[in-house]
Amino acid sequence: MPVRQGGSIVIGAEQEPDCTDWIASCAGSIWGTFIMDIPTIPRVFEPKKVNGAWTPVATNVMASEPELTAGPPQKITYRINPDAVWSDGQPITSADFEYTTLAIRDGKDVLNRTGYSHIAKVDTPDPKTAVVTFSTPYANWKGLFSDSSGLLPSHLLADKDRSALMKDGYSWSGGPWKIESWTKGASVVLVPNEKYWGEKPKLDKVTFQFTADTAAAFQAFKTGQLDALYPTPQLDSIDQILSGLPNADSIVDPESGNLEAVWFNNTKPPFDSATFRQAVSYALDRKAIVTRLYGALGVTEPAQSAHTPLVGRYGGTDFAQYTPDLGKVGTLMQGDGWAKGSDGIWAKAGTRAKFTVSTMTGNKRRELTEQILQEQLRTAGFELTIDNTSAGDLFASKLPKGDFQMGLWTLVDTFPQPSLEASFSSSAIPTADNGYSGLNMSRIDVPGLDQVLDTAASTLEEDKRIEVSRQADKLLADSAALLPLDVIPNILLWNRKIGGPLAIDPARGPFWNLAQWGLVG
């Protein structure tokens, strides 16, 4: 539907990010990526659907497709679009590639170094050409400067305290939008970047209003205070969507990059035992959980891979071995020296099979999931207690420091190439020595897994990479290092006063093309 130039809208945002220093450990919130990172940070590749499959495609930052020289050594040559500039008018240059690489590879307090640790050097033969040379082959090279980290402006950040300059918002941009303001606890306001060389936004202003309470967000949407929502699919929100919302349209897309799982702390008792993890996995009826949560949307099957649908061709179905089986639970527990007490709970050497589950307070869907887990585990002889906290405390402190036994959260893929090493390699375990950086919050260190992940990361031949990635899935499943629950469907709701090609990108979220949104007529 045609849209006019100008005007403003207000969008509900479920979470407020902890910071906007996108390469730091405080930047783990996917909502920060959705509302400020993607709209302002330039990237080399972006996901697009090509012949039905999500594929990395070069962006308008590039003058041409980056060139791969397999080597050895492997090299990538990037030729930068001469029109590509930062919002202050300064050109995007090869120095930005070099600065970004060194900040991630060698910096402190870095959330995810995946891929950058493979880079030996970045040459800058001229301002619009960067040549990246690898110390070891790296298959997912298209994810560099594209996936969790885009390009950062060297001329503004080099030799300065990046965190101090970025963590509370920044005024510069290399995308179609700029951050006009971030009012902590209230909202983020985006305005057009007038220096952007691509398609400029239709709207004059977009406000993201923080609305963590789903019921309150839906009420605000119904009354017109919010013009769009991207809600986590809670039961009450699903009911409201199915019953119809006045003057609103919606999209429900089950093909997402979101994997909800039961995460075990592999280094903390009782989950430091693979046998115990397997027993718990056989105690759970995941299909019943998924049907209870998403059956109304037609989603009833549990996830059977550590890969999300966005990179599904690299995954297997090895977690399908875990169907509810109290007989196997008993065999595993008794074989490991456990016996049921008079209260029906397993015990061993005076220790009861009692543990906690942690997730973010106020997320009704996860709280319901916890209640179902409690019931199912109690039937199988396990006592589960709930230990929830705020999203900020959970992701900034509790999980990085390993202060949990079992957790519920979402692994989010933001690029259509596999990167299991980022979440499951032992080198990605957060520790005091690395400043609690890294995404392997579950402290997974399965024998042989690192070697398989390294092979997958360095194998340039696609068929071999698929084969090896599926081997990683099998190792994770056989050791019950985690237990996938479901692929969370994506839902986007908007008031019909908004037009444009609204669509959900499973990698970049619902606001990936916000520049094309506008007011109807």
Side-chain angles (χ1 to χ4, degrees):
M1 186 174 291
V3 297
R4 62 181 173 86
Q5 191 72 36
S8 63
I9 61 173
V10 181
I11 300 173
E14 283 193 345
Q15 294 177 30
E16 180 174 18
D18 293 316
C19 78
T20 50
D21 179 4
W22 304 120
I23 66 176
S25 58
C26 60
S29 167
I30 192 62
W31 271 93
T33 301
F34 289 159
I35 68 178
M36 289 188 274
D37 180 358
I38 294 293
T40 65
I41 301 297
R43 283 167 159 78
V44 169
F45 285 93
E46 62 186 0
K48 287 192 176 178
K49 215 161 194 179
V50 179
N51 297 325
W54 288 98
T55 305
V57 175
T59 70
N60 64 0
V61 172
M62 294 285 96
S64 58
E65 185 85 10
E67 297 173 10
L68 164 66
T69 303
Q74 178 182 338
K75 291 185 179 183
I76 313 296
T77 301
Y78 300 88
R79 292 185 174 83
I80 305 165
N81 185 344
D83 296 330
V85 296
W86 297 100
S87 54
D88 60 3
Q90 292 297 309
I92 294 175
T93 71
S94 54
D96 301 323
F97 282 78
E98 182 179 34
Y99 170 78
T100 302
T101 298
L102 297 179
I104 298 173
R105 190 192 70 181
D106 303 337
K108 296 179 180 179
D109 187 32
V110 176
L111 178 64
N112 183 9
R113 301 182 199 272
T114 303
Y116 295 90
S117 58
H118 291 257
I119 296 177
K121 63 176 180 174
V122 179
D123 291 315
T124 55
D126 63 65
K128 288 293 183 177
T129 306
V131 181
V132 174
T133 301
F134 293 81
S135 54
T136 56
Y138 185 57
N140 192 20
W141 61 268
K142 290 184 179 180
L144 300 173
F145 319 110
S146 305
D147 185 0
S148 57
S149 305
L151 291 167
L152 298 174
S154 172
H155 72 287
L156 296 175
L157 300 176
D159 301 320
K160 296 178 181 176
D161 185 342
R162 185 197 70 251
S163 180
L165 292 173
M166 287 188 65
K167 68 183 180 68
D168 294 319
Y170 45 89
S171 59
W172 49 265
S173 172
W177 299 91
K178 294 191 302 183
I179 302 169
E180 182 181 69
S181 63
W182 177 10
T183 305
K184 295 290 182 73
S187 63
V188 163
V189 177
L190 301 183
V191 294
N193 170 13
E194 297 301 331
K195 296 290 187 180
Y196 186 60
W197 63 99
E199 182 180 4
K200 292 185 171 62
K202 302 285 192 298
L203 293 162
D204 294 328
K205 181 170 73 172
V206 174
T207 300
F208 288 97
Q209 183 172 303
F210 301 126
T211 50
D213 184 280
T214 306
F218 266 82
Q219 184 59 32
F221 182 71
K222 287 179 178 179
T223 58
Q225 296 169 272
L226 297 176
D227 300 311
L229 287 178
Y230 184 58
T232 299
Q234 313 281 9
L235 292 178
D236 54 352
S237 62
I238 291 172
D239 290 342
Q240 293 192 61
I241 292 166
L242 293 175
S243 62
L245 291 164
N247 197 36
D249 286 320
S250 65
I251 296 171
V252 177
D253 186 359
E255 182 186 31
S256 78
N258 309 320
L259 176 68
E260 184 91 347
V262 174
W263 302 92
F264 306 122
N265 187 334
N266 284 224
T267 60
K268 178 163 283 200
F271 295 110
D272 56 345
S273 162
T275 301
F276 195 93
R277 297 193 301 266
Q278 290 163 348
V280 167
S281 299
Y282 281 116
L284 297 176
D285 187 345
R286 294 180 294 144
K287 183 175 176 63
I289 295 173
V290 176
T291 301
R292 177 75 174 90
L293 297 177
Y294 307 119
L297 296 176
V299 179
T300 60
E301 294 301 319
Q304 306 295 11
S305 169
H307 293 81
T308 71
L310 186 65
V311 290
R313 66 185 183 277
Y314 297 93
T317 59
D318 297 278
F319 286 92
Q321 64 187 284
Y322 297 111
T323 56
D325 190 329
L326 295 183
K328 285 187 177 178
V329 173
T331 299
L332 287 164
M333 294 296 285
Q334 290 168 5
D336 200 35
W338 296 81
K340 277 193 178 179
S342 58
D343 59 356
I345 301 299
W346 295 102
K348 177 181 178 181
T351 299
R352 298 170 78 247
K354 177 180 179 180
F355 46 89
T356 61
V357 61
S358 302
T359 194
M360 61 183 68
T361 303
N363 186 309
K364 295 179 181 179
R365 172 179 54 80
R366 287 190 176 134
E367 289 173 350
L368 173 61
T369 304
E370 289 174 322
Q371 293 166 18
I372 300 172
L373 292 173
Q374 270 186 321
E375 296 168 4
Q376 293 184 356
L377 288 169
R378 182 66 180 81
T379 300
F382 302 95
E383 183 177 345
L384 178 68
T385 58
I386 295 171
D387 180 29
N388 293 343
T389 187
S390 68
D393 182 53
L394 183 70
F395 292 107
S397 178
K398 204 175 188 75
L399 300 184
K401 294 181 179 178
D403 183 22
F404 74 101
Q405 289 178 293
M406 190 171 96
L408 280 177
W409 67 85
T410 307
L411 182 154
V412 181
D413 277 326
T414 56
F415 203 68
Q417 291 198 339
S419 58
L420 284 190
E421 72 273 16
S423 299
F424 301 115
S425 169
S426 65
S427 63
I429 296 174
T431 65
D433 289 342
N434 65 22
Y436 298 106
S437 299
L439 298 177
N440 188 353
M441 308 294 185
S442 292
R443 276 89 181 143
I444 293 168
D445 190 5
V446 176
L449 180 61
D450 279 352
Q451 292 88 335
V452 171
L453 294 176
D454 288 345
T455 301
S458 61
T459 299
L460 300 181
E461 198 272 306
E462 182 72 358
D463 289 343
K464 177 66 174 176
R465 195 173 178 205
I466 291 172
E467 176 189 339
V468 175
S469 294
R470 291 177 180 173
Q471 290 174 18
D473 242 347
K474 179 170 172 52
L475 286 169
L476 289 166
D478 288 350
S479 64
L482 70 150
L483 186 64
L485 277 182
D486 52 74
V487 176
I488 302 176
N490 289 319
I491 299 173
L492 177 62
L493 307 170
W494 66 95
N495 188 296
R496 288 184 183 135
K497 75 178 187 181
I498 298 174
L502 282 79
I504 299 171
D505 181 325
R508 293 173 291 171
F511 315 119
W512 63 279
N513 66 341
L514 191 60
Q516 295 175 292
W517 292 26
L519 298 178
V520 174

